[in-house]
Amino acid sequence: MKFIVCVKQVPGSNEVRLDPETHAIIRDAHAAVINPLDYVALDCAVKLKRRNGGEIIALSMGIPATERLLRDACARGADRAMLLTDRAFAGSDTLATSYALSLGIEKEGSCDLILCGKNAIDGDTAQIGPELAATLGYNLITDVTEVIDIDKKFITAVKTTDSGSETVKAALPAVITLLNGREMPALPTVSGVRYSLEAPVDKYTAAELGADTSRTGFAGSPTSVVKTFVSENTRECRDMGLDAAAAAAFLIDEIRKAGGAQ
Ligand code: FAD
């Protein structure tokens, strides 16, 4: 079976820096990490490969330095990686991103299962998985917490719903988006790290993918970020040193003064 895991580079610190003009994230390769839920997706693929055999390919659209993170994915169980990297992809919104990723997947020919994190911690739209399924015409299961079974034709998975969870069966090829399951993703092994140094990471430009560049990057993005700002905390905090009864009396008094209660 062929598993493709979509891996996104996200900022490694709490500080997300934005370009003041384009409002795009400034990608700092040294501080970047793999999106946390993509580790979960990769770990899921490794377990499925262990049960069913096959091959795992880590796929990313990003700056050239994303190669370091794809090698990390190889240290954690991917057999090889694909990096879609070109100035023509810069500024992509989710539609343009899923178009580029779908071209990378089509370059692979046939594929049984695409695994994505549910959402990325920076853009956080949770749209890429569903858009990939729509673009490729694959079935989709979102919010997966466990894959119960997969064979050459079907996948059966447990997904979270608003009221709990349900078990869903879909025909392959399919896209699944993953949430945290019960287990922590496995750490890289020493042999995995050694393998990752030499693992094949194939790089593709927009032209090599046969991309229509009116559908990539800023040009192909119907959504644009118009304004960004850092919210400021202007509240003041006072330690009153009161016991519970005095604190309650104080609060009631303050609310009355503010006209909130009679
Ligand atoms: P999600 O859909 O949250 O990611 C889910 C999964 O998709 C990931 O876990 C991963 O498996 C996969 N994935 C996502 N990106 C990649 C990638 N490059 N390579 C491989 N796998 C990937 N775009 C919009 O269309 N609308 C907006 O309103 C919007 N607002 C934004 C606001 C800000 C502040 C910023 C910085 C960006 C915004 N974007 C928006 C752009 C958006 O971040 C990018 O399109 C991004 O490439 C994908 O979106 P996401 O992070 O929301 O992905």
Side-chain angles (χ1 to χ4, degrees), residues 83-189:
L83 175 58
L84 318 183
T85 186
D86 197 311
R87 290 301 305 163
F89 296 137
S92 293
D93 72 357
T94 61
L95 194 66
T97 302
S98 54
Y99 169 63
L101 292 175
S102 73
L103 295 177
I105 291 162
E106 279 167 358
K107 193 97 188 154
E108 272 300 314
S110 66
C111 160
D112 299 291
L113 188 67
I114 318 279
L115 302 96
C116 294
K118 179 204 170 140
N119 59 313
I121 55 168
D122 51 0
D124 198 19
T125 63
Q127 289 173 4
I128 295 294
E131 285 179 356
L132 264 182
T135 309
L136 294 162
Y138 287 10
N139 287 318
L140 169 71
I141 310 178
T142 55
D143 300 347
V144 169
T145 51
E146 187 185 355
V147 175
I148 296 175
D149 192 30
I150 187 165
D151 59 29
K152 287 206 163 82
K153 289 191 170 159
F154 294 100
I155 177 168
T156 308
V158 179
K159 69 173 261 111
T160 299
T161 66
D162 288 345
S163 53
S165 65
E166 63 187 17
T167 302
V168 181
K169 187 171 181 175
L172 299 179
V175 177
I176 62 173
T177 72
L178 283 116
L179 280 175
N180 264 333
R182 269 169 282 168
E183 293 169 36
M184 284 278 290
L187 294 172
T189 58

Side-chain angles (χ1 to χ4, degrees), residues 5 8 46 61 132 135 206 241 258:
V5 182
K8 185 180 182 191
V46 169
M61 184 194 83
L132 264 182
T135 309

Side-chain angles (χ1 to χ4, degrees), residues 5-240:
V5 182
C6 294
V7 171
K8 185 180 182 191
Q9 172 197 314
V10 295
S13 71
N14 288 336
E15 191 184 323
V16 176
R17 287 184 301 126
L18 299 169
D19 183 306
E21 274 176 27
T22 63
H23 305 293
I25 289 184
I26 298 169
R27 306 274 172 199
D28 177 350
H30 299 293
V33 294
I34 292 178
N35 181 50
L37 284 178
D38 302 352
Y39 286 121
V40 176
L42 182 58
D43 197 56
C44 177
V46 169
K47 285 178 182 139
L48 295 179
K49 180 184 158 183
R50 216 172 276 151
R51 278 190 343 222
N52 300 273
E55 186 184 27
I56 301 172
I57 300 136
L59 168 67
S60 193
M61 184 194 83
I63 58 174
T66 307
E67 178 175 345
R68 179 176 67 80
L69 301 179
L70 287 172
R71 292 202 178 278
D72 182 25
C74 292
R76 293 164 192 267
D79 296 288
R80 58 190 173 89
M82 286 174 82
L83 175 58
L84 318 183
T85 186
D86 197 311
R87 290 301 305 163
F89 296 137
S92 293
D93 72 357
T94 61
L95 194 66
T97 302
S98 54
Y99 169 63
L101 292 175
S102 73
L103 295 177
I105 291 162
E106 279 167 358
K107 193 97 188 154
E108 272 300 314
S110 66
C111 160
D112 299 291
L113 188 67
I114 318 279
L115 302 96
C116 294
K118 179 204 170 140
N119 59 313
I121 55 168
D122 51 0
D124 198 19
T125 63
Q127 289 173 4
I128 295 294
E131 285 179 356
L132 264 182
T135 309
L136 294 162
Y138 287 10
N139 287 318
L140 169 71
I141 310 178
T142 55
D143 300 347
V144 169
T145 51
E146 187 185 355
V147 175
I148 296 175
D149 192 30
I150 187 165
D151 59 29
K152 287 206 163 82
K153 289 191 170 159
F154 294 100
I155 177 168
T156 308
V158 179
K159 69 173 261 111
T160 299
T161 66
D162 288 345
S163 53
S165 65
E166 63 187 17
T167 302
V168 181
K169 187 171 181 175
L172 299 179
V175 177
I176 62 173
T177 72
L178 283 116
L179 280 175
N180 264 333
R182 269 169 282 168
E183 293 169 36
M184 284 278 290
L187 294 172
T189 58
V190 173
S191 60
V193 172
R194 238 183 246 145
Y195 171 71
S196 71
L197 302 175
E198 301 296 329
V201 179
D202 296 322
K203 297 180 195 96
Y204 294 98
T205 61
E208 285 164 342
L209 292 170
D212 168 358
T213 47
S214 69
R215 294 179 66 188
T216 63
F218 285 113
S221 297
T223 320
S224 60
V225 179
V226 176
K227 186 179 170 190
T228 51
F229 63 93
V230 179
S231 65
E232 277 176 34
N233 187 357
T234 51
R235 285 187 206 160
E236 277 177 32
C237 185
R238 270 183 294 160
D239 182 355
M240 307 295 292

